[in-house]
Coordinates of all heavy atoms in Angstrom, one line a residue:
Chain O
D121 N 26.7 -14.6 2.6 CA 26.7 -13.2 3.1 C 25.4 -12.6 2.9 O 24.9 -11.8 3.7 CB 27.8 -12.3 2.5 CG 29.1 -12.6 3.2 OD1 29.1 -13.2 4.3 OD2 30.2 -12.2 2.6
A122 N 24.8 -12.8 1.7 CA 23.5 -12.0 1.4 C 22.5 -12.5 2.3 O 21.7 -11.7 2.8 CB 23.1 -12.4 -0.1
R123 N 22.5 -13.8 2.7 CA 21.5 -14.3 3.7 C 21.7 -13.8 5.0 O 20.8 -13.4 5.7 CB 21.4 -15.8 3.6 CG 20.1 -16.3 4.1 CD 20.0 -17.8 4.1 NE 20.5 -18.4 5.2 CZ 20.5 -19.8 5.4 NH1 20.0 -20.6 4.7 NH2 21.0 -20.2 6.6
K124 N 23.0 -13.8 5.4 CA 23.3 -13.1 6.7 C 22.8 -11.8 6.9 O 22.2 -11.3 7.9 CB 24.8 -13.2 7.0 CG 25.3 -14.5 7.6 CD 26.6 -14.3 8.3 CE 26.9 -15.5 9.3 NZ 27.0 -16.8 8.6
K125 N 23.0 -11.0 5.8 CA 22.5 -9.6 5.8 C 21.1 -9.5 6.0 O 20.6 -8.7 6.7 CB 23.0 -8.9 4.5 CG 24.3 -8.2 4.7 CD 24.6 -7.3 3.5 CE 23.8 -6.0 3.6 NZ 24.1 -5.0 2.5
A126 N 20.4 -10.4 5.3 CA 18.9 -10.4 5.3 C 18.4 -10.7 6.8 O 17.4 -10.2 7.2 CB 18.3 -11.4 4.3
E127 N 19.1 -11.7 7.4 CA 18.7 -12.1 8.7 C 18.9 -11.0 9.7 O 18.0 -10.8 10.6 CB 19.6 -13.3 9.1 CG 19.2 -14.6 8.4 CD 20.3 -15.7 8.5 OE1 21.4 -15.4 9.3 OE2 20.3 -16.7 7.8
E128 N 20.1 -10.3 9.6 CA 20.3 -9.1 10.4 C 19.2 -8.0 10.2 O 18.8 -7.4 11.2 CB 21.7 -8.5 10.1 CG 22.8 -9.3 10.8 CD 24.2 -9.0 10.2 OE1 24.2 -7.9 9.5 OE2 25.1 -9.8 10.4
E129 N 18.9 -7.8 8.9 CA 17.9 -6.8 8.6 C 16.6 -7.2 9.3 O 15.8 -6.3 9.8 CB 17.8 -6.7 7.1 CG 17.0 -5.5 6.6 CD 16.8 -5.5 5.0 OE1 17.9 -5.9 4.5 OE2 15.7 -5.2 4.6
F130 N 16.2 -8.5 9.1 CA 14.9 -8.9 9.7 C 14.9 -8.7 11.2 O 13.9 -8.1 11.7 CB 14.7 -10.3 9.3 CG 13.4 -10.8 9.9 CD1 12.2 -10.7 9.2 CD2 13.3 -11.4 11.2 CE1 11.0 -11.1 9.8 CE2 12.1 -11.8 11.8 CZ 10.9 -11.7 11.1
R131 N 15.9 -9.1 11.9 CA 15.9 -9.0 13.3 C 15.8 -7.4 13.7 O 15.0 -7.1 14.6 CB 17.2 -9.6 13.9 CG 17.1 -11.1 14.1 CD 18.2 -11.5 15.0 NE 19.6 -11.3 14.3 CZ 20.2 -12.2 13.7 NH1 19.7 -13.5 13.5 NH2 21.3 -12.0 13.1
A132 N 16.5 -6.6 13.0 CA 16.5 -5.2 13.4 C 15.2 -4.6 13.1 O 14.6 -3.8 13.9 CB 17.6 -4.4 12.6
N133 N 14.6 -4.9 12.0 CA 13.2 -4.4 11.6 C 12.1 -4.9 12.6 O 11.2 -4.2 12.9 CB 12.9 -4.7 10.2 CG 13.8 -3.9 9.2 OD1 14.5 -3.0 9.6 ND2 13.7 -4.3 8.0
L134 N 12.3 -6.2 13.0 CA 11.3 -6.7 14.0 C 11.4 -5.9 15.3 O 10.3 -5.7 15.9 CB 11.6 -8.2 14.2 CG 10.5 -8.9 14.9 CD1 9.3 -9.1 13.9 CD2 10.9 -10.4 15.4
I135 N 12.6 -5.6 15.7 CA 12.7 -4.8 16.9 C 12.1 -3.4 16.7 O 11.4 -2.9 17.7 CB 14.2 -4.6 17.3 CG1 14.8 -6.0 17.8 CG2 14.5 -3.6 18.3 CD1 16.3 -6.1 17.9
T136 N 12.2 -2.8 15.5 CA 11.7 -1.5 15.3 C 10.1 -1.7 15.4 O 9.4 -0.8 15.9 CB 12.1 -1.1 13.9 OG1 13.4 -0.9 13.8 CG2 11.4 0.3 13.5
L137 N 9.6 -2.7 14.9 CA 8.2 -3.0 14.9 C 7.8 -3.1 16.4 O 6.8 -2.5 16.9 CB 7.8 -4.3 14.2 CG 6.3 -4.7 14.2 CD1 5.4 -3.7 13.6 CD2 6.1 -6.1 13.6
E138 N 8.5 -3.9 17.2 CA 8.2 -4.1 18.6 C 8.1 -2.8 19.4 O 7.2 -2.4 20.0 CB 9.3 -5.0 19.2 CG 9.2 -5.0 20.8 CD 8.2 -6.1 21.3 OE1 7.8 -7.0 20.6 OE2 8.0 -6.0 22.6
D139 N 9.2 -2.0 19.1 CA 9.3 -0.7 19.9 C 8.2 0.2 19.4 O 7.6 0.9 20.2 CB 10.7 0.0 19.6 CG 11.8 -0.9 20.3 OD1 11.5 -1.7 21.1 OD2 13.0 -0.6 19.9
G140 N 7.9 0.3 18.1 CA 6.9 1.1 17.6 C 5.5 0.8 18.1 O 4.8 1.7 18.5
V141 N 5.3 -0.4 18.0 CA 3.9 -0.9 18.4 C 3.7 -0.7 19.9 O 2.6 -0.3 20.4 CB 3.7 -2.3 18.0 CG1 2.6 -3.0 18.8 CG2 3.3 -2.4 16.5
R142 N 4.8 -1.0 20.7 CA 4.7 -0.9 22.1 C 4.4 0.6 22.6 O 3.7 0.9 23.4 CB 6.0 -1.4 22.7 CG 6.2 -1.3 24.2 CD 7.5 -1.7 24.6 NE 7.5 -3.2 24.5 CZ 7.1 -4.0 25.4 NH1 6.6 -3.5 26.6 NH2 7.2 -5.4 25.3
E143 N 5.1 1.5 21.8 CA 5.0 2.9 22.2 C 3.8 3.5 21.7 O 3.1 4.3 22.4 CB 6.2 3.6 21.5 CG 6.2 5.2 22.0 CD 7.3 5.9 21.2 OE1 8.5 5.3 21.2 OE2 7.2 6.9 20.8
E144 N 3.3 3.1 20.5 CA 2.2 3.8 19.9 C 0.8 3.2 20.0 O -0.2 3.9 19.9 CB 2.5 4.1 18.4 CG 3.7 4.9 18.2 CD 3.9 5.2 16.7 OE1 3.1 4.7 15.9 OE2 4.8 6.0 16.4
L145 N 0.8 1.9 20.2 CA -0.5 1.2 20.2 C -0.8 0.4 21.5 O -2.0 0.3 21.9 CB -0.5 0.3 19.0 CG -0.6 0.9 17.7 CD1 -0.4 -0.1 16.6 CD2 -2.0 1.6 17.5
W146 N 0.1 -0.1 22.1 CA -0.1 -1.1 23.1 C -0.6 -0.5 24.4 O 0.1 0.5 24.9 CB 1.1 -2.0 23.4 CG 0.9 -3.1 24.3 CD1 0.0 -4.1 24.3 CD2 1.7 -3.3 25.5 NE1 0.2 -4.9 25.3 CE2 1.2 -4.5 26.1 CE3 2.7 -2.7 26.1 CZ2 1.8 -5.0 27.2 CZ3 3.4 -3.1 27.3 CH2 2.8 -4.4 27.8
S147 N -1.6 -0.9 25.0 CA -1.9 -0.5 26.3 C -2.0 -1.8 27.2 O -2.9 -2.6 26.9 CB -3.3 0.3 26.3 OG -4.3 -0.5 25.8
A148 N -1.2 -1.9 28.1 CA -0.9 -3.2 28.7 C -2.2 -3.8 29.3 O -3.0 -3.1 29.9 CB 0.0 -3.0 29.9
G149 N -2.5 -5.1 29.0 CA -3.7 -5.7 29.4 C -4.1 -6.7 28.3 O -4.5 -6.3 27.2
G150 N -3.9 -8.0 28.5 CA -4.1 -8.9 27.5 C -2.9 -9.3 26.8 O -1.9 -8.6 26.8
S151 N -2.9 -10.4 26.0 CA -1.7 -10.9 25.3 C -1.5 -10.4 24.0 O -0.4 -10.5 23.4 CB -1.8 -12.5 25.2 OG -2.3 -13.1 26.4
F152 N -2.5 -9.6 23.4 CA -2.4 -9.1 22.2 C -2.1 -7.7 22.1 O -2.3 -6.9 23.1 CB -3.8 -9.3 21.4 CG -4.2 -10.8 21.3 CD1 -5.2 -11.3 22.0 CD2 -3.5 -11.5 20.4 CE1 -5.6 -12.6 21.9 CE2 -3.9 -13.0 20.2 CZ -4.9 -13.4 21.0

Side-chain angles (χ1 to χ4, degrees):
Chain O
D121 280 344
R123 201 176 86 174
K124 272 206 163 56
K125 270 193 75 178
E127 289 163 7
E128 282 163 14
E129 191 184 321
F130 178 87
R131 277 194 295 266
N133 291 347
L134 194 70
I135 288 168
T136 301
L137 176 64
E138 167 86 14
D139 292 346
V141 159
R142 175 181 289 276
E143 186 184 313
E144 297 188 354
L145 288 172
W146 185 57
S147 53
S151 315
F152 298 108

